Amino acid sequence: MQNQWNDKDAARFTSLLEQRVYTSRLQGADSSLVLHGGGNTSVKVVEKDIFGNDEMILYVKGSGWDLATIEAQGFSPCRLDHLLKLATLEQLSDTDMARELQLSMTNPSAPAPSVEAILHGLLPHTFVDHTHADAIVTITNSKNGEERIKEIFNSDEMIIVPYVMPGFKLVRAVAELFLEKATPKTIGLILMNHGIFTFGETAKESYDRMIELVGRAETYLQAKSAWKIDRTTSNSSQVNKKISSKQTLAELRKEVSILAGFPVILSTYSDEDSMNFVHRADIETVSQQGPATPDHVIRTKRIPMLGRHVEKYSQDYKKYFDEHSPHSSQTLTMLDSAPRVILDSDLGLITLGPTAGDAAIANDIYRHTIEIITRAEMLGGYRALPASDLFEMEYWDLEQAKLKRQGTPKMFAGEIALVTGAASGIGKACVASLLARGAAVIGLDLNPTITSLHKRKDFLGIQCDVTDEAALRDALEESVQCFGGLDMLILNAGIFPPSRSIAELSTEEWTKVMRINLNANMALMNIAHPLLKLAPHGGRVVVIGSKNVPAPGPGVGAYSVSKAALTQLARVAALEWGIDGIRVNILHPNAVFDTGIWTEEVLEKRALNYGLTVEQYKTNNVLHVEVTSHDVAELAAEMCGLFFAKTTGAQVPLDGGNDRVI
Ligand code: ZN
């Protein structure tokens, strides 16, 4: 455990709150301490209220903020008096606690305070740090965990808190233990199966203690030969990765989506660490015990699913919940029994979530869980929380989610779209429109810049020549490994060759245009069909056609014919695929000038040809409006949405009105 404190950096953070920001970020940057909002920090400061009176304010991490990137405004200002008064109550429901925490704030527009706010308030020190450090969680989740903790830490410096679910019960438990056991030497608390608190009078003191105490736990693991994980590949993990798994994965995603009640993203990892873990001889016992710390429960669910038996998992889940939950089975209907982690000996580690970001978080968390389980097993045996606590936690988190009033999910949340010709022009705009509607998007393009078009979890850019069928197959395989299936296909890639009369047109040029604008789309539709068939909300295809289909012009024979043939192919697909619930619609744009081929110079030349200004040329249509890539992309995205839910085989012009088309 490295202490990252740096005097020079720290000097830039002057006030107490700024110092709080600095050491919070240091801890947030270390994923073995803090993972995806898994920790929280606070500082107590004196401030003047509106009447000029001094009051003690607890600035505690606000919900929705990540310690790694937190700013001063990410801390919620709570009146300490109010928190301490709440701590004296015998009982406080989750709903009441959430409301009271909000009421305690001096700034109503600050983020909601962490549910652990009262705990921070109770501890009398200026700075309080709380993490779910892997090393602490590993030891507290091991056989004889409590004895080991007592071996590592002196009883006068550390108070051990038996597992209590986060929430008001934990507040009461800590309040009582602290009152009873705290000495002037106390510098921290260990929460069994949960994490660690440290505190101090300065940001540095509290941070140093966190690093030192967690470091001691790491040293203990090293001394017990429970630190270094054997990463050599076992024979059993030499799975044939050449075998196509996209169909299996898409089927699995569909099953889980039905169980969840909404489409999910499914990400598959078959790297050595994942394969080694799924091939452990004791995988059934070690993986079926539940997550390591309460805040992992929801993101990775109660227990991972072993193998691909979705139906059985769901039934077991409901059965266990019925047996162990103190809540009525009515609450069952509020829980989705879909797994968030699947361990499969052939496929590897699979993580799922309502968005690509959620699936990625489940992966991050589960990789830490794998390390924790592996080390705890080396230490003497992994011992997770009993099932009843996990269900209680899951139910509780559900309540918390309700309190947070989550907004309605985006239109394409959990769905996957593939766009060809995605690096520029209409294709690039389609990617943006689909991402904005919540879809995970795969962009294919010949241009290598596609791989870095967006740096986000819900975008995958693949350099690909669409006329190469093998490359298309590989791209689809990679896409399904990444997101789990295919719901929407935007056929956009195409070329617009220089104007040429039929008398001048070579067979080579004709064939080239057909290969790119027509044959490649036929091949992709052929490969994509079995995947689109498995789309939880039905597959959707949008073909970017051209005004040249209904209204061809001289000199564009190859282009017009290729787009007309593609349109005809799409119409046949609409007829053939209706039975599979797949909709195929066609968009005919015209005069979209904000693309790469239309430089200012070319535009001026063209306009001059017609005796028009560039502006007049761009808006030379019935409505006198300019048509942009964004306009085309928005309509293409909407054609995948609800407004077009009962439309297939349609051809919609997007040209500002063209008298030859009308
Ligand atoms: Zn915690």
Side-chain angles (χ1 to χ4, degrees):
M1 182 98 309
Q2 277 288 319
N3 190 314
Q4 304 288 349
W5 178 276
N6 176 305
D7 281 333
K8 221 175 109 198
D9 290 346
R12 291 190 291 117
F13 298 85
T14 47
S15 70
L16 287 175
L17 182 57
E18 284 172 31
Q19 291 267 306
R20 178 65 287 172
V21 169
Y22 175 60
T23 59
S24 298
R25 287 184 192 165
L26 291 184
Q27 291 170 86
D30 186 337
S31 69
S32 74
L33 273 181
V34 170
L35 195 58
H36 295 298
N40 40 63
T41 56
S42 68
V43 61
K44 301 177 188 74
V45 300
V46 179
E47 284 185 355
K48 290 247 185 274
D49 69 9
I50 194 90
F51 309 106
N53 302 319
D54 282 349
E55 60 182 354
M56 194 64 124
I57 305 297
L58 174 87
Y59 278 91
V60 64
K61 196 202 93 159
S63 66
W65 285 82
D66 198 313
L67 287 186
T69 51
I70 200 159
E71 307 276 348
Q73 70 264 28
F75 287 91
S76 318
C78 305
R79 290 186 185 89
L80 188 61
D81 273 356
H82 193 91
L83 300 185
L84 294 179
K85 226 172 176 178
L86 291 174
T88 63
L89 289 170
E90 276 302 312
Q91 276 182 343
L92 188 61
S93 73
D94 291 338
T95 325
D96 287 345
M97 184 170 82
R99 190 195 58 235
E100 289 301 319
L101 289 181
Q102 292 252 359
L103 281 174
S104 76
M105 293 203 297
T106 57
N107 175 5
S109 54
S114 156
V115 290
E116 279 160 340
I118 306 178
L119 270 180
H120 283 260
L122 273 175
L123 301 168
H125 308 77
T126 307
F127 286 86
V128 177
D129 294 73
H130 169 49
T131 72
H132 305 151
D134 284 356
I136 300 291
V137 171
T138 303
I139 296 166
T140 61
N141 280 282
S142 293
K143 196 179 166 198
N144 306 325
E146 194 167 334
E147 282 105 273
R148 294 174 190 282
I149 290 293
K150 285 177 182 159
E151 242 180 87
I152 303 167
F153 305 107
N154 299 327
S155 58
D156 56 350
E157 59 178 6
M158 197 66 106
I159 297 171
I160 301 169
V161 185
Y163 179 78
V164 179
M165 198 188 80
F168 195 68
K169 277 186 209 151
L170 180 60
V171 169
R172 292 291 309 173
V174 170
E176 278 161 30
L177 273 168
F178 199 79
L179 205 65
E180 182 190 328
K181 296 197 168 155
T183 71
K185 284 186 181 165
T186 307
I187 55 172
L189 304 171
I190 296 281
L191 279 58
M192 294 301 291
N193 306 85
H194 178 157
I196 176 170
F197 274 88
T198 61
F199 24 79
E201 289 324 301
T202 65
K204 185 169 189 307
E205 187 174 50
S206 186
Y207 172 73
D208 285 348
R209 285 172 176 169
M210 177 64 72
I211 301 303
E212 200 269 314
L213 295 175
V214 175
R216 249 195 265 174
E218 286 187 357
T219 308
Y220 175 86
L221 288 169
Q222 283 157 3
K224 299 281 174 191
S225 307
W227 183 254
K228 221 179 154 328
I229 294 169
D230 180 12
R231 289 207 151 85
T232 49
T233 315
S234 62
N235 288 337
S236 52
S237 64
Q238 297 294 352
V239 174
N240 186 357
K241 284 178 194 160
K242 286 277 166 254
I243 292 175
S244 166
S245 50
K246 64 177 186 295
Q247 201 60 24
T248 313
L249 290 173
E251 281 165 15
L252 187 59
R253 169 176 175 255
K254 180 164 191 182
E255 270 193 90
V256 176
S257 296
I258 291 169
L259 204 59
F262 47 84
V264 297
I265 298 292
L266 178 151
S267 305
T268 308
Y269 306 87
S270 52
D271 55 286
E272 285 190 355
D273 280 358
S274 305
M275 294 318 280
N276 279 341
F277 187 71
V278 298
H279 283 120
R280 280 181 73 111
D282 57 358
I283 186 70
E284 287 216 21
T285 47
V286 296
S287 72
Q288 299 301 287
Q289 287 190 48
T293 177
D295 79 324
H296 292 180
V297 172
I298 291 311
R299 268 107 158 235
T300 62
K301 278 296 217 198
R302 178 178 58 92
I303 50 168
M305 184 168 98
L306 272 180
R308 276 164 253 162
H309 318 289
V310 179
E311 201 47 52
K312 187 175 177 305
Y313 179 91
S314 167
Q315 283 163 4
D316 284 355
Y317 180 93
K318 288 176 178 159
K319 200 168 132 239
Y320 280 128
F321 194 91
D322 256 353
E323 282 167 11
H324 296 289
S325 169
H327 304 282
S328 72
S329 56
Q330 213 188 347
T331 56
L332 248 178
T333 56
M334 294 154 61
L335 294 161
D336 81 75
S337 53
R340 294 292 184 271
V341 175
I342 299 176
L343 304 170
D344 187 279
S345 55
D346 297 327
L347 301 167
L349 166 63
I350 298 168
T351 63
L352 306 100
T355 68
D358 293 313
I361 288 175
N363 172 53
D364 283 350
I365 291 177
Y366 205 71
R367 280 178 190 274
H368 281 263
T369 305
I370 288 176
E371 282 193 0
I372 290 166
I373 289 175
T374 308
R375 288 183 176 138
E377 278 296 310
M378 287 155 83
L379 193 60
Y382 180 65
R383 299 286 183 272
L385 291 169
S388 52
D389 285 318
L390 294 173
F391 282 115
E392 182 75 346
M393 188 65 213
E394 187 160 351
Y395 176 78
W396 180 76
D397 198 272
L398 189 86
E399 290 291 301
Q400 293 297 314
K402 269 198 306 182
L403 296 174
K404 276 184 225 152
R405 291 187 303 270
Q406 288 176 329
T408 44
K410 289 186 176 169
M411 186 197 260
F412 296 144
E415 295 201 284
I416 302 134
L418 186 143
V419 181
T420 63
S424 60
I426 291 172
K428 184 178 170 183
C430 284
V431 171
S433 293
L434 290 160
L435 285 173
R437 286 167 175 76
V441 184
I442 302 122
L444 304 190
D445 207 292
L446 198 54
N447 188 333
T449 59
I450 188 67
T451 56
S452 52
L453 181 63
H454 294 280
K455 280 219 169 350
R456 42 193 284 179
K457 299 281 184 204
D458 50 5
F459 178 76
L460 172 68
I462 305 173
Q463 189 190 3
C464 175
D465 177 355
V466 291
T467 63
D468 178 347
E469 215 176 304
L472 276 181
R473 278 184 199 283
D474 287 348
L476 266 284
E477 190 70 42
E478 192 182 342
S479 306
V480 177
Q481 288 278 330
C482 194
F483 298 129
L486 185 65
D487 305 274
M488 294 167 269
L489 180 61
I490 313 289
L491 298 174
N492 165 68
I495 52 165
F496 189 79
S499 181
R500 198 104 60 202
S501 68
I502 294 169
E504 295 169 323
L505 188 60
S506 71
T507 312
E508 285 75 27
E509 188 167 324
W510 168 268
T511 311
K512 185 185 171 193
V513 175
M514 292 304 153
R515 251 190 27 242
I516 300 170
N517 290 7
L518 179 62
N519 300 6
N521 287 313
M522 163 59 203
L524 183 50
M525 285 168 81
N526 177 278
I527 300 167
H529 175 251
L531 297 173
L532 290 168
K533 218 172 137 175
L534 291 166
H537 286 175
R540 282 138 283 166
V541 180
V542 175
V543 172
I544 307 296
S546 166
K547 179 224 80 176
N548 277 279
V549 174
V556 279
Y559 180 79
S560 299
V561 171
S562 70
K563 287 291 188 181
L566 177 61
T567 300
Q568 199 71 344
L569 182 69
R571 295 174 71 198
V572 173
L575 290 169
E576 289 182 359
W577 295 357
I579 193 148
D580 302 320
I582 304 169
R583 302 189 274 110
V584 186
N585 289 299
I586 305 137
L587 225 166
H588 292 315
N590 187 36
V592 180
F593 294 122
D594 61 341
T595 61
I597 28 170
W598 292 96
T599 61
E600 217 37 53
E601 203 192 330
V602 175
L603 264 174
E604 270 167 30
K605 242 190 204 165
R606 266 310 163 90
L608 206 66
N609 264 352
Y610 292 89
L612 300 171
T613 65
V614 170
E615 196 47 43
Q616 286 167 332
Y617 181 67
K618 278 185 177 173
T619 58
N620 192 15
N621 53 48
V622 172
L623 294 171
H624 295 295
V625 291
E626 188 185 342
V627 179
T628 65
S629 298
H630 175 72
D631 296 327
V632 181
E634 286 290 290
L635 186 55
E638 285 302 322
M639 279 179 144
C640 296
L642 281 179
F643 292 148
F644 282 78
K646 295 177 183 175
T647 300
T648 192
Q651 299 181 51
V652 181
L654 181 51
D655 52 16
N658 181 294
D659 46 15
R660 286 182 58 212
V661 175
I662 294 169

